[in-house]
Amino acid sequence: MPKRFLYILLICIFSQHVTAQNADDTTLHENALNAINVYYENLGEESPLYNGSEYIEYAYTLQEGHPFFQIANFVNGNINLDGMIFHDVPMLYDIFKDQLIIQDFQRVYKINLPADRVQQFFLLGHLFVRLTHAASDPIKTGFYDQLYKGKIALFAKREKRILEKYSNIQISKVVISQDIYYIKKEGVYYAIKNKSSLLAVLKSKKKEVQQYLKTNKIKFKREPERAMIMAVRYYDQLTN
C-alpha cells in the first residue's frame, strides 16, 4: 500500500470528521465512503479496478454491426465495483457477451471485469445494474438497463445476436439487436412483451394509465420503451 496514498486517505477521513461533527450519521458515512473512493482512484495500476481477465476479441469479422452498447469506442463512465465508485473510466459494454470492458492501466490490452464484482455502471446516460436470477424469476443473471425506479421498477435487457447471412456464395456475419423488458413490482419480476402485458401488471390503475397514454399521444407499437417508462412513472404517481 503506497504510503502517500495512505496519507491522503487519513487526511481526507480526518478532515471530513472535523468538519462534519454536527452532521448526521448518513452524512458521516457518505464522507467516509468518498474518502475511501479517493484513495482507491489514486492507487494507479495497483487499483482493484484492474483486477480482471484479458478480454478475448472476436475470432471473426463482423460485416454488419458490432456487439457493443450504442458505439464501438471507449467512452468514460462510472463503475461501482465491490461497493467502490470509480469515476471517468474508459469502458465498453459488450452486449453479446454481457461483459463490461475497460483498458489496463497502461492501455495496452482490454480487461473483462468480473461481472459478480460489478454492482452497476453508468454509461452513455444509462444506468446498468446487475440482477441475479432466482428460481421463480423470468430474468437471467446479468446487466440490465434501469429505465425507472420508484415503488416499481422497469428494466431493459439489451441483447445482441450474431447471425450468418447468405448471399450467393458468400457468408457474412451480422449483428441484430433486441430489447427485452421487465417490471419489478412488490419483489416479483414480470416480462413485458406488449401493451396488454404492461397493463396487466398495472391493472389496479389500468384505465387511468390507458387514458394518460392516449392524452399524451403515446402509442405502444410506435414507441414501446417510452410508453412503458411513462406508464410506470404515472402508475407510481397514482399509487403514492
Side-chain angles (χ1 to χ4, degrees):
M1 184 181 291
K3 288 185 178 179
R4 65 191 184 94
F5 294 126
L6 179 58
Y7 294 151
I8 292 173
L9 176 62
L10 293 174
I11 290 169
C12 287
I13 293 176
F14 177 75
S15 62
Q16 295 290 353
H17 175 72
V18 169
T19 58
Q21 286 187 8
N22 296 323
D24 58 24
D25 290 342
T26 300
T27 302
L28 289 172
H29 178 69
E30 290 176 352
N31 289 339
L33 288 178
N34 289 336
I36 293 170
N37 289 336
V38 169
Y39 169 73
Y40 279 116
E41 286 185 339
N42 282 279
L43 277 178
E45 60 185 326
E46 295 182 39
S47 169
L49 179 65
Y50 301 111
N51 184 15
S53 59
E54 185 173 355
Y55 174 72
I56 305 301
E57 301 284 354
Y58 288 85
Y60 43 79
T61 301
L62 298 171
Q63 280 72 36
E64 294 180 27
H66 58 76
F68 305 106
F69 178 64
Q70 293 194 0
I71 60 176
N73 301 318
F74 279 97
V75 178
N76 283 4
N78 300 334
I79 303 173
N80 185 328
L81 181 79
D82 291 335
M84 298 172 286
I85 309 298
F86 296 90
H87 299 279
D88 298 323
V89 180
M91 68 177 79
L92 278 169
Y93 173 36
D94 186 328
I95 294 178
F96 179 73
K97 296 180 179 179
D98 201 22
Q99 294 178 348
L100 182 61
I101 306 154
I102 65 170
Q103 296 171 305
D104 75 301
F105 185 73
Q106 303 296 338
R107 301 197 175 185
V108 175
Y109 60 91
K110 299 173 184 174
I111 295 175
N112 167 33
L113 291 179
D116 59 351
R117 294 179 56 209
V118 179
Q119 284 77 53
Q120 61 185 42
F121 61 92
F122 188 77
L123 176 65
L124 294 167
H126 292 254
L127 177 63
F128 287 88
V129 298
R130 189 170 188 269
L131 303 180
T132 53
H133 170 73
S136 59
D137 289 339
I139 67 166
K140 58 184 179 181
T141 299
F143 295 119
Y144 289 75
D145 192 351
Q146 183 175 286
L147 302 175
Y148 176 80
K149 185 177 181 182
K151 287 174 63 179
I152 62 176
L154 175 65
F155 302 95
K157 182 58 181 169
R158 309 297 185 186
E159 293 190 346
K160 288 192 175 185
R161 291 184 291 162
I162 298 174
L163 302 180
E164 289 187 341
K165 186 176 173 182
Y166 297 86
S167 178
N168 297 326
I169 59 172
Q170 293 185 329
I171 301 176
S172 57
K173 293 185 181 293
V174 301
V175 178
I176 62 171
S177 301
Q178 179 183 14
D179 297 323
I180 305 172
Y181 299 94
Y182 300 92
I183 285 178
K184 184 180 182 182
K185 180 184 176 187
E186 297 176 352
V188 179
Y189 289 95
Y190 300 88
I192 307 301
K193 299 179 179 179
N194 48 43
K195 186 177 180 180
S196 296
S197 58
L198 169 66
L199 294 174
V201 177
L202 311 179
K203 59 184 177 181
S204 65
K205 301 294 179 182
K206 177 179 176 179
K207 291 183 179 179
E208 293 91 332
V209 170
Q210 281 182 305
Q211 184 59 49
Y212 178 72
L213 294 178
K214 183 178 180 180
T215 301
N216 287 276
K217 299 179 181 180
I218 304 298
K219 295 186 180 295
F220 189 94
K221 288 185 178 180
R222 189 172 59 201
E223 300 177 283
E225 188 166 303
R226 185 183 178 202
M228 283 183 269
I229 293 172
M230 292 187 68
V232 297
R233 183 182 291 132
Y234 187 60
Y235 176 85
D236 252 3
Q237 292 174 7
L238 293 173
T239 56
N240 274 340

